Amino acid sequence: MSSSQSLKKVIRPIHLWAIGVGLVISGEYFGWNYGWGVAGTIGFLIATLVITLLYITFIFSFTELTTSIPQAGGPFTYTHRAMGPIGGLIAGYATAVEFLLATPAIALALGNYLHFLHPSLPVLGSGLAFYIILTVVNLLGIKESALFSLIITLLAVVELLIYLGIVGPSFKTANFLHDSMPFGWSGVFNALPFAIWLYVCIEGIAMVAEEVKDPHRNIPKGYISAILTLMLLAIAVMVFTGGITDWKSLSAIDYPLPEAIGVVLGKQNGITKLFAGIGLFGLIASFNGIIISYSRQLFALGRAGYLPGFMSTLSPRRRVPVTALIVGGLLGVLALYMGKTDQLVILSVMGAIVMYILSMTSLFILRDKEPGLERPYKAPFYPWFPGIALFLSVVSLIAIIYTYPMLSLIFFGGLGIALGIFIGMGRHKHSAVINLVS
């Protein structure tokens, strides 16, 4: 890999924790509550516990891949190495869909939060403004972007702890248990995608692996500290919020936490308005983290020849993937104006789950195919941890396809088009498009 295509190594464990938590923390602010609408509180709690097990086993297994092959392509790189060019294409497509569609979902939530505060502000216009601002922040350089992620993520975590302190005293078990499983076990099945939203994108840490100092030691620290932080916050926020009022009133809005504080303190209370304002921190943290991730994914796909070569262009001085940042932002803005929040959430989650299946399969293949590969960190309880993660990912994918057939058709239709172009150009005949692990 030439120096002209090398990213800058400046990221430390605290930045990895911030990027990992920041990538996901918006999921604690909105999106998950749609799961109540299809499962009820207990139904969604069961779905969340299942998905929490998926992510614990997945992250402890995925860390083996990230530390063994610390490249910006992340899952695309691992799957290409294990399964060849077509496997790499599918993983690259799935990962790009996951991250590119998560950002407009967050942009819509940001717009709704601002509209909640100031009804004169347009939802779509506000989302567009955040795209422009945060893309510019990332063009300044990874060091600046990682520092921004650290500050904004710390503020977002503190805010969630304050939220729990405000609503906790008003928690009533009767509220949480009222009509808590209206759709039975089928509701639990249908709620899995929204439970995934509580954790989805944490694997984006892999996209900055080339920019981490001492990646073999520091990447596991970042992954494990991030997933433990998110697990505690996700379950606490979901349970406490479900116990303060009739959960049905919070199950179909993009700003459940400010609404919940409004129930406890009154909507005109100054703390309610203040919380809604600083509630933007969590959404901005995820927005910024996902921009980092999708730009590195598009950069890696361009460098490998899966996308046009100009996608791998780096700015000369700051060494950031300038073209990938701009193109990713334009694609996200297009989705912002075309999709609804819950639809974008489902499509993003579907991309994630397909990528998880390919990543865990690649882990098993590489253990057999390359037993001599240096593995600074090995998945604990192998083969059980990656096996559990793989099984639960397959179950989740089946749930999404069964529950959302039209969105599944869009996702797999797009994949079919990408495969057709790839094969038509003859790229599948190359055993290695580029030396991905140099």
Side-chain angles (χ1 to χ4, degrees):
M1 191 184 303
S2 68
S3 60
S4 64
Q5 292 182 305
S6 298
L7 296 160
K8 203 172 180 180
K9 291 185 179 289
V10 296
I11 297 178
R12 300 178 183 275
I14 186 67
H15 300 123
L16 286 174
W17 171 85
I19 291 171
V21 173
L23 279 162
V24 181
I25 202 165
S26 65
E28 267 77 319
Y29 283 81
F30 84 103
W32 61 268
N33 52 306
Y34 289 101
W36 280 347
V38 299
T41 46
I42 292 295
F44 186 60
L45 176 59
I46 295 169
T48 300
L49 293 175
V50 170
I51 295 304
T52 299
L53 176 62
L54 186 163
Y55 271 89
I56 289 172
T57 54
F58 172 76
I59 286 301
F60 275 87
S61 304
F62 191 70
T63 302
E64 175 178 317
L65 292 169
T66 309
T67 52
S68 302
I69 312 169
Q71 298 291 307
F76 154 69
T77 309
Y78 319 146
T79 308
H80 182 283
R81 184 158 176 165
M83 303 182 191
I86 290 181
L89 174 75
I90 297 170
Y93 169 83
T95 308
V97 168
E98 174 191 1
F99 287 96
L100 286 171
L101 295 189
T103 28
I106 297 167
L108 284 170
L110 276 164
N112 276 298
Y113 262 68
L114 284 175
H115 187 70
F116 175 84
L117 283 171
H118 305 286
S120 61
L121 291 175
V123 173
L124 290 175
S126 299
L128 175 61
F130 276 107
Y131 256 110
I132 295 170
I133 292 166
L134 292 176
T135 298
V136 170
V137 168
N138 277 272
L139 287 169
L140 294 175
I142 185 60
K143 187 175 182 179
E144 291 77 7
S145 183
L147 178 61
F148 178 78
S149 285
L150 175 59
I151 294 169
I152 206 80
T153 300
L154 286 170
L155 290 171
V157 170
V158 168
E159 185 189 12
L160 285 181
L161 295 175
I162 293 171
Y163 168 79
L164 294 172
I166 291 172
V167 302
S170 300
F171 176 86
K172 293 181 181 177
T173 304
N175 286 336
F176 191 80
L177 296 179
H178 174 66
D179 199 18
S180 59
M181 222 169 151
F183 307 105
W185 288 100
S186 65
V188 175
F189 195 67
N190 295 341
L192 291 176
F194 297 105
I196 292 168
W197 185 249
L198 287 164
Y199 300 105
V200 75
C201 293
I202 187 173
E203 67 281 357
I205 288 176
M207 311 305 174
V208 297
E210 283 185 41
E211 296 157 280
V212 177
K213 289 186 175 182
D214 194 4
H216 294 167
R217 290 183 57 199
N218 291 334
I219 288 173
K221 294 177 183 177
Y223 266 134
I224 294 166
S225 60
I227 191 64
L228 292 176
T229 301
L230 291 163
M231 179 180 68
L232 294 172
L233 289 173
I235 293 173
V237 167
M238 185 255 295
V239 170
F240 275 51
T241 306
I244 61 166
T245 186
D246 183 355
W247 55 265
K248 294 176 185 176
S249 66
L250 303 174
S251 64
I253 58 176
D254 281 352
Y255 46 92
L257 304 195
E259 189 74 14
I261 287 187
V263 170
V264 173
L265 301 179
K267 289 189 178 180
Q268 300 307 313
N269 188 289
I271 295 177
T272 302
K273 292 188 176 293
L274 176 64
F275 182 87
I278 61 176
L280 298 172
F281 290 146
L283 301 178
I284 293 170
S286 288
F287 206 141
N288 186 66
I290 296 172
I291 286 175
I292 294 173
S293 296
Y294 73 57
S295 62
R296 272 60 182 175
Q297 180 68 188
L298 295 176
F299 161 80
L301 290 170
R303 186 174 63 183
Y306 281 68
L307 288 176
F310 64 79
M311 295 297 290
S312 63
T313 303
L314 294 175
S315 58
R317 189 163 67 90
R318 298 188 180 274
R319 314 301 298 162
V320 295
V322 58
T323 308
L325 280 165
I326 294 170
V327 171
L330 292 173
L331 291 172
V333 168
L334 180 65
L336 174 68
Y337 281 85
M338 292 179 63
K340 296 180 179 179
T341 303
D342 55 346
Q343 295 171 341
L344 293 168
V345 166
I346 295 299
L347 286 168
S348 175
V349 164
M350 189 179 302
I353 289 298
V354 169
M355 183 270 284
Y356 298 167
I357 291 170
L358 290 170
S359 294
M360 292 300 95
T361 303
S362 296
L363 191 153
F364 283 113
I365 291 173
L366 289 172
R367 279 284 189 111
D368 179 64
K369 182 179 175 183
E370 297 189 44
L373 176 66
E374 184 184 357
R375 293 176 171 86
Y377 174 94
K378 288 191 175 182
F381 305 108
Y382 182 89
W384 293 104
F385 263 35
I388 291 169
L390 178 59
F391 172 75
L392 292 177
S393 295
V394 170
V395 170
S396 299
L397 182 60
I398 292 170
I400 297 170
I401 294 171
Y402 177 79
T403 310
Y404 306 98
M406 288 307 298
L407 291 174
S408 301
L409 187 62
I410 291 171
F411 177 88
F412 287 106
L415 175 58
I417 292 170
L419 277 170
I421 295 172
F422 186 69
I423 293 172
M425 293 176 65
R427 304 300 290 171
H428 65 295
K429 297 177 182 178
H430 296 267
S431 61
V433 181
I434 196 169
N435 186 1
L436 292 163
V437 292
S438 61

